[in-house]
């Protein structure tokens, strides 16, 4: 069984002409999510952020900002178009649309180029590829309009391929109990005092959202034998990037991973013992310093060919 | 402009009930090639092999064996089905069908799984993936029938990503002269006394076939900025694998490359200074020892994001 864990994501901020996005009813966000072919499963809210757990990933809503992430074969572009049309493109401060490279692009209903052709009908923007087309890479599109990012704004995205060890054992077990997973992850120890919400999918798969003030983190685990993948993302301001990434990598013990950092200030580069950096892209895009890097476990085992059922 | 250089390939051997395949008229092979959506451009023949240069790669015909390689958005499976139906599956000694992972799978008219579903209607076989699904990998299908490969049978395939240096400079120049390319490649020095045939595509792109007795080698260069790729393949018996691969890698100076070796005897593993091995698969498939390995240039340069025209 295969499930595409690799995500699409958009981040949209509105200007002061728009009243708080959090005043919009849940039915509005449910409509937005449904347009991407996903559904809202549950919600947790801090003073500054509503975090929705979705059937395929997550939606975060702040007063002036929305971050939506979906995986599988969802059509995130439709949800983005709905919001852009609802608020009006003139009231958009910044807009970023990302697609990670997929395991099986042919199973998707659109590719990045299709999505951007659609978005560009209403939104002038620039499109980029970070990383070689034949390696792990990220497609990124941003609104082409001067934008000054909030001073403390930074996001870390961590894409992990091929989990191993205890994490593999636990997450590939069918109908695992949430308590077991929470105990194993022990996230409270890394990220203190967050409001937490999670969901165990059947037969396998796990998602969690957590919020504290305007900070969030989210984890999505796709443990399937074909295309094992875990994503982590956070905007936590008072924790060191190196500490965050190391903590999460130590839990899932992937074979390879990509780190994507967006920072309104200088990006603090991270390095990892036991992994080798293989590709790196550094640029200034849409008001942020952006860093994309891929890491590989250097140990080469001679494996057998993987037999496929067709 | 993008052209998918990554190839599909099949190798088919017939048993002694079939008279020499080389007696079939050129019109027969033209029909076969046309079914894959390619055309024959030219031909060169040794005493034992007819080598056809195609609009998308190459076709080699021996007395009891055919190797056909196509790239772009060709449908090689249709050409394979034509031959299998023509000779009758009972008269097939061995059959291998390969697809390398593509830069842009969504541009293809089929994927490996579609192709094998089609082939399996008439041919019982086993399908494999060599390499992780999120890294460079090779899909391989082979006839599930006992087969004793000829004693000296071995093939090396070398897939090179991101050519650089002089090779990049020369091959990305539009309407390059064949003499310039031949002088640069200087293949006579590496592979002595081969009959040689080549073609320069417009505005860019280069293919060559060469034969000596039953030996062949073939090179296909897709130098386009988006998806730069060079493939080399040979079945040369009296040259060391390490020497062959090193010689070709030194010409094209890729950023990364994969080596695939098929050998009826033990496979001689190859290693390269200046490149790091990152993945390796070793197995026995369809009567051959098979080795698949990926190599990367270890130097990491911080690059800029690649701007895309959409």
């Amino acid at each position: 069984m295969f499930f595409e864990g690799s995500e699409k994501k958009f981040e949209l901020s509105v200007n002061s002409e728009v009243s708080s996005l959090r005043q919009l009813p849940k039915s509005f966000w449910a409509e937005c999510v449904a347009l991407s072919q996903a559904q809202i499963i549950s919600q947790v809210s801090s003073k500054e952020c509503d975090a929705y757990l979705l059937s395929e990933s997550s939606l975060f809503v702040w007063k002036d900002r929305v971050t939506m992430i979906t995986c599988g074969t969802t059509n995130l572009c439709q949800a983005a178009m709905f919001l852009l049309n609802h608020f009006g493109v003139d009231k958009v401060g910044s807009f970023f649309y990302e697609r990670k490279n997929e395991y099986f692009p042919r199973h998707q209903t659109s590719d990045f180029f299709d999505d951007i052709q659609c978005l560009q009908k209403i939104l002038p923007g620039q499109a980029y590829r970070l990383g070689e087309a034949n390696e792990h890479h990220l497609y990124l599109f941003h609104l082409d309009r001067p934008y000054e990012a909030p001073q403390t704004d930074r996001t870390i995205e961590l894409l992990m391929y091929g989990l191993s060890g205890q994490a593999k054992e636990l997450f590939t077990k069918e109908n695992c109990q949430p308590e077991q997973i929470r105990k194993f992850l022990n996230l409270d120890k890394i990220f203190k005092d967050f409001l937490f919400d999670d969901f165990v999918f059947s037969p396998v798969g796990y998602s969690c959202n957590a919020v504290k003030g305007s900070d969030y983190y989210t984890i999505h685990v796709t443990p399937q034998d074909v295309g094992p993948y875990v994503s982590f993302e956070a905007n936590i301001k008072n924790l060191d990037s190196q500490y965050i990434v190391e903590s999460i990598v130590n839990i899932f013990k992937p074979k390879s991973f990509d780190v994507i950092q967006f920072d309104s200030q200088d990006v603090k580069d991270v390095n990892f013992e036991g992994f080798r950096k293989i590709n790196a892209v550094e640029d200034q895009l849409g008001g942020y310093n952006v860093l994309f890097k891929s890491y590989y476990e250097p140990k080469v085992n001679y494996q057998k060919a993987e037999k496929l059922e067709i």
Side-chain angles (χ1 to χ4, degrees), chain A residues 191-210:
Chain A
F191 308 110
K192 293 188 174 65
D193 306 322
F194 274 73
L195 282 164
F196 190 79
D197 185 19
D198 64 356
F199 191 82
V200 181
F201 293 88
S202 178
V204 293
Y206 178 75
S207 285
C208 71
N209 281 341

Side-chain angles (χ1 to χ4, degrees), chain A residues 86-105:
Chain A
H86 179 84
F87 301 122
V89 167
D90 290 349
K91 291 176 184 156
V92 172
S94 75
F95 179 80
F96 284 86
Y97 187 89
E98 289 178 23
R99 270 182 90 144
K100 279 101 193 193
N101 67 295
E102 286 122 7
Y103 271 97
F104 290 104

Side-chain angles (χ1 to χ4, degrees), chain A residues 22-93:
Chain A
R22 298 182 74 198
Q23 286 173 8
L24 288 159
K26 192 171 170 181
S27 60
F28 175 84
W29 298 111
E31 187 183 349
C32 171
V33 168
L35 284 165
S36 76
Q37 309 297 324
Q39 293 121 47
I40 294 176
I41 293 176
S42 60
Q43 181 188 345
V44 66
S45 293
S46 70
K47 254 193 176 170
E48 297 179 50
C49 179
D50 300 315
Y52 297 94
L53 210 57
L54 308 183
S55 55
E56 277 98 352
S57 304
S58 295
L59 166 68
F60 299 93
V61 182
W62 296 264
K63 186 182 158 220
D64 61 351
R65 183 177 292 242
V66 181
T67 294
M68 185 170 170
I69 307 166
T70 62
C71 58
T73 56
T74 49
N75 193 333
L76 183 65
C77 183
Q78 290 309 309
M81 288 294 280
F82 169 78
L83 295 184
L84 291 167
N85 282 318
H86 179 84
F87 301 122
V89 167
D90 290 349
K91 291 176 184 156
V92 172

Side-chain angles (χ1 to χ4, degrees), chain A residues 179-296:
Chain A
E179 294 74 21
Q180 266 185 293
I181 293 177
R182 285 178 212 143
K183 197 178 159 192
F184 169 74
L185 294 175
N186 201 9
L187 294 164
D188 273 347
K189 209 184 143 192
I190 307 168
F191 308 110
K192 293 188 174 65
D193 306 322
F194 274 73
L195 282 164
F196 190 79
D197 185 19
D198 64 356
F199 191 82
V200 181
F201 293 88
S202 178
V204 293
Y206 178 75
S207 285
C208 71
N209 281 341
V211 280
K212 179 167 85 175
S214 63
D215 285 1
Y216 73 94
Y217 72 82
T218 181
I219 299 177
H220 300 284
V221 184
T222 307
Q224 278 85 341
D225 278 351
V226 183
Y229 175 83
V230 180
S231 72
F232 168 88
E233 175 168 331
N235 72 338
I236 302 171
K237 290 157 202 78
N238 67 352
L239 282 180
D240 185 56
S241 310
Q242 177 94 22
Y243 168 77
I244 293 177
V245 176
E246 251 172 23
S247 301
I248 300 297
V249 165
N250 281 339
I251 293 173
F252 294 102
K253 301 198 188 313
K255 192 175 156 51
S256 63
F257 61 91
D258 307 325
V259 179
I260 307 155
Q261 294 168 268
F262 288 82
D263 207 312
S264 57
Q265 308 299 311
D266 285 345
V267 193
K268 203 187 151 215
D269 201 352
V270 289
N271 280 295
F272 305 96
E273 292 232 356
F275 286 91
R276 236 173 231 158
K277 186 159 53 187
I278 201 160
N279 279 308
V281 176
E282 193 172 25
D283 216 329
Q284 297 187 306
L285 302 169
Y288 289 87
N289 293 303
V290 182
L291 197 54
F292 170 92
K293 290 179 300 173
S294 292
Y295 295 84
Y296 289 75

